[in-house]
Amino acid sequence: MPDFMLHAWLAGAAVAVVAGPLGSFAVWRRMAYFGDTLAHSALLGVVFGLLLDVNINLAVTLGCLILATALVLLQQTRVLATDTLLGILSHSTLALGLVSISLFGNTRVDLMAYLFGDLLTADSGDVITIATVAALVLGLIGYFWRSLIAITVHEELARVEGVRVGAVRMLLMLAMALVIAIAMKVVGVLLITALLIIPAAAARRLSQTPESMAVMASALGLVAVTLGLVSSYFLDTPAGPSVVLGASLMFGLTLFKRQS
Amino acid sequence: MTRLIEAKNIGLTLADRTILEGVNLQLHAGKITTLIGPNGAGKTSLVRLLLGLQPASQGELWRKPSLRIGYMPQKLHIDASLPLTVQRFLQLGGAGAAALKNALSLTGIAHLLASPMQRLSGGEVQRVLLTRALAREPQLLVLDEPVQGVDVNGQVALYDLIDRIRAQQGCGVLMVSHDLHLVMAHTDEVICLNQHVCCHGHPESVTSDPAYLALFGAKAAQTLAVYTHHHDHKHNLHGDVVCNHDHSLPLEDCPPAAQKDESNA
């Protein structure tokens, strides 16, 4: 196997593993649109990275973190429904990102790479960055696991029982922002939510507990990344979309399993 | 008697709408207090204030330091996408194994432990929620409409259980209820709420009192009595409460004549 395939697989695998539990929360808490909004705004981070001449990964990460914080605060005002709010932010930031890139960076930016990912160009530095962020997020989620499940089941009950609901919810949003920033390399801005949601949804039918669903989602994500890369190598298909299709294929297969 | 919570003149105003005003109440260990009142009276809002889920707009709220509360919410919706057994749900409360076992033996739902939460009947959900609240070995149990979706036999059993728990653990109980009738037998104090405390008193003495009969009238035999109970005040065009009696009066001292007149209004 050539080096670039190994790097690509390692980067994809790290993202898939952390996307399992996080994607499960996105499914349980109906946050798919939230993920989309963060992902679409990541393109804006790219623009700022280019304009300010700072590391693009860092700019994207910071952008996602800032937007996640803003969303959590906006959600508390409740003037507009959350999905309306997210729809406005999501598409405005995507449009702004696309316009800005064409204005400022058309010679330096491979737009397709950001929209659909460029997993095959991952180098060992990318692998280390992605694996570090993935490990950090996994550690945080593991440490706060019971609180996270408790606020997902019933926020007020959790609060009466002493869980710091606001802080835990913010932690989940920031974890989501971090994972989106690293997942951009794998499947690109437009397909990130798929990598979070589809393996988790496929895992639902195969699990009896929240923990097994999270682990199963990671495992299915790994298979999807492998399938996508194999198809990309032999059939010369684009890597990111192939990974997403691999996940879709597995979701389709779980539909044949009879619900116990 | 140990005081657990004391509210002094608390009120809640949301978006210029008065939800609650001038509410005084005390909760004590070993005592069951029941909150009744028509829909929209602010019962759940008051519970949220007492639990600290919502800050009060006015007044003072005192809680015993490090008060341990077992809370049974009115509704529980668990998304179908979350695989969760009763056992896992109960463990989320953070109680120890021994306390959980004890709570299970009281509520008698040990046979449900392996069931998914989404498959439970209404009555089973209520008992699971009660178990989680009890497993915290609470000093105060707060139950928001605990008999919702439970048939009459089940309601009697549930109220008996709550009474036994109070006797066994010596905790205070605050219950929200629509239905005065079944709740009566086990309640030490009834607080009738309609944005403010309309009246309050001990049901045992109240039920034989002519003032109570005037208040709940011919419908006293029906649980509906609470919904249609005759108000001791009117609401003006803005929805504000216009009172014409002394709020410090306990229930049994409410002037019956005034109640009757206004029931026709």
Side-chain angles (χ1 to χ4, degrees):
Chain A
M1 185 162 52
D3 260 4
F4 76 91
M5 282 302 281
L6 181 65
H7 289 150
W9 188 82
L10 286 174
V15 171
V17 167
V18 70
L22 217 54
S24 300
F25 277 108
V27 169
W28 298 331
R29 297 176 62 87
R30 301 177 176 237
M31 285 166 57
Y33 217 4
F34 183 87
D36 255 353
T37 306
L38 284 182
H40 290 175
S41 70
L43 205 57
L44 215 49
V46 173
V47 177
F48 284 124
L50 290 172
L51 280 181
L52 305 175
D53 203 23
V54 293
N55 181 301
I56 288 184
N57 288 334
L58 193 68
V60 167
T61 309
L62 280 179
C64 281
L65 289 176
I66 291 170
L67 193 81
T69 313
L71 278 174
V72 171
L73 297 179
L74 271 178
Q75 268 181 324
Q76 285 158 6
T77 64
R78 292 183 191 284
V79 178
L80 287 171
T82 303
D83 62 339
T84 308
L85 209 60
L86 290 178
I88 294 168
L89 280 173
S90 167
H91 299 112
S92 303
T93 49
L94 180 62
L96 187 58
L98 291 170
V99 167
S100 311
I101 282 188
S102 76
L103 281 182
F104 304 117
N106 50 353
T107 53
R108 288 181 288 168
V109 182
D110 176 10
L111 188 57
M112 290 302 273
Y114 290 112
L115 291 180
F116 298 106
D118 55 350
L119 188 52
L120 298 180
T121 66
D123 56 26
S124 55
D126 288 329
V127 172
I128 290 170
T129 310
I130 290 176
T132 310
V133 173
L136 174 78
V137 170
L138 271 182
L140 278 173
I141 289 190
Y143 187 76
F144 289 101
W145 185 258
R146 191 172 65 81
S147 299
L148 283 165
I149 300 280
I151 71 163
T152 300
V153 169
H154 199 294
E155 284 201 356
E156 301 201 328
L157 186 53
R159 197 182 304 182
V160 172
E161 288 172 348
V163 176
R164 293 179 55 210
V165 172
V168 174
R169 196 173 3 166
M170 183 62 96
L171 172 93
L172 184 64
M173 299 302 182
L174 295 182
M176 190 81 72
L178 278 177
V179 168
I180 280 167
I182 58 167
M184 218 173 107
K185 184 80 183 166
V186 181
V187 288
V189 163
L190 294 181
L191 296 173
I192 284 173
T193 311
L195 200 63
L196 285 170
I197 300 293
I198 300 177
R204 171 62 183 99
R205 283 172 165 263
L206 312 174
S207 345
Q208 307 299 322
T209 65
E211 294 76 22
S212 67
M213 179 162 155
V215 171
M216 186 63 77
S218 295
L220 292 176
L222 276 177
V223 178
V225 165
T226 311
L227 281 179
L229 282 175
V230 167
S231 130
S232 178
Y233 188 69
F234 289 106
L235 306 174
D236 204 21
T237 55
S242 304
V243 168
V244 172
L245 279 183
S248 311
L249 176 70
M250 265 168 307
F251 176 75
L253 288 178
T254 62
L255 291 179
F256 289 102
K257 180 184 182 284
R258 278 187 47 208
Q259 218 25 334
S260 54
Chain B
M1 213 179 310
T2 322
R3 207 164 38 123
L4 300 175
I5 286 187
E6 179 164 8
K8 274 189 195 154
N9 206 28
I10 57 169
L12 178 65
T13 310
L14 291 179
D16 292 336
R17 224 183 107 222
T18 304
I19 312 289
L20 288 167
E21 58 181 345
V23 175
N24 294 298
L25 89 100
Q26 288 191 358
L27 301 175
H28 297 277
K31 237 176 103 176
I32 298 184
T33 306
T34 301
L35 209 52
I36 59 167
N39 285 332
K43 302 186 293 288
T44 297
S45 297
L46 180 55
V47 168
R48 287 171 52 84
L49 289 184
L50 297 176
L51 288 172
L53 292 172
Q54 169 98 50
S57 318
Q58 306 100 36
E60 265 177 64
L61 184 66
W62 176 89
R63 287 211 267 174
K64 188 171 174 261
S66 68
L67 177 67
R68 206 164 53 249
I69 298 179
Y71 171 48
M72 179 170 163
Q74 194 180 108
K75 283 198 191 85
L76 178 72
H77 171 77
I78 297 181
D79 200 276
S81 66
L82 178 61
L84 195 69
T85 60
V86 170
Q87 175 145 28
R88 275 303 271 121
F89 176 81
L90 292 174
Q91 285 164 352
L92 287 178
L100 197 53
K101 206 174 154 201
N102 187 36
L104 279 169
S105 70
L106 278 168
T107 54
I109 53 154
H111 62 287
L112 295 175
L113 282 177
S115 314
M117 285 298 291
Q118 290 91 346
R119 295 251 181 93
L120 301 181
S121 73
E124 286 168 342
V125 170
Q126 300 297 320
R127 282 195 288 165
V128 168
L129 284 170
L130 183 59
T131 309
R132 178 157 159 185
L134 279 179
R136 288 172 54 73
E137 300 180 322
Q139 296 158 305
L140 176 66
L141 253 184
V142 178
L143 314 168
D144 196 349
E145 307 218 1
V147 297
Q148 232 179 21
V150 180
D151 63 31
V152 175
N153 287 335
Q155 292 185 20
V156 172
L158 202 57
Y159 286 131
D160 279 342
L161 175 61
I162 291 164
D163 199 25
R164 271 211 312 283
I165 289 162
R166 183 263 309 253
Q168 196 193 75
Q169 324 233 330
C171 56
V173 179
L174 174 67
M175 247 191 292
V176 173
S177 179
H178 271 127
D179 132 48
L180 183 59
H181 228 68
L182 289 169
V183 123
M184 274 297 204
H186 300 304
T187 299
D188 299 308
E189 181 171 26
V190 174
I191 295 174
C192 176
L193 194 72
N194 195 3
Q195 291 190 8
H196 62 298
V197 176
C198 292
C199 40
H200 61 94
H202 303 273
E204 292 87 346
S205 60
V206 165
T207 39
S208 57
D209 194 290
Y212 164 80
L213 294 173
L215 191 58
F216 292 101
K219 291 182 179 168
Q222 297 171 15
T223 53
L224 274 179
V226 180
Y227 278 111
T228 56
H229 80 275
H230 306 147
H231 288 166
D232 52 359
H233 59 268
K234 292 176 178 173
H235 295 263
N236 68 16
L237 288 175
H238 304 291
D240 298 325
V241 175
V242 181
C243 281
N244 55 0
H245 77 113
D246 182 0
H247 281 165
S248 63
L249 288 178
L251 185 57
E252 48 266 57
D253 294 338
C254 282
Q259 314 298 331
K260 250 183 197 162
D261 289 344
E262 295 193 7
S263 66
N264 303 327

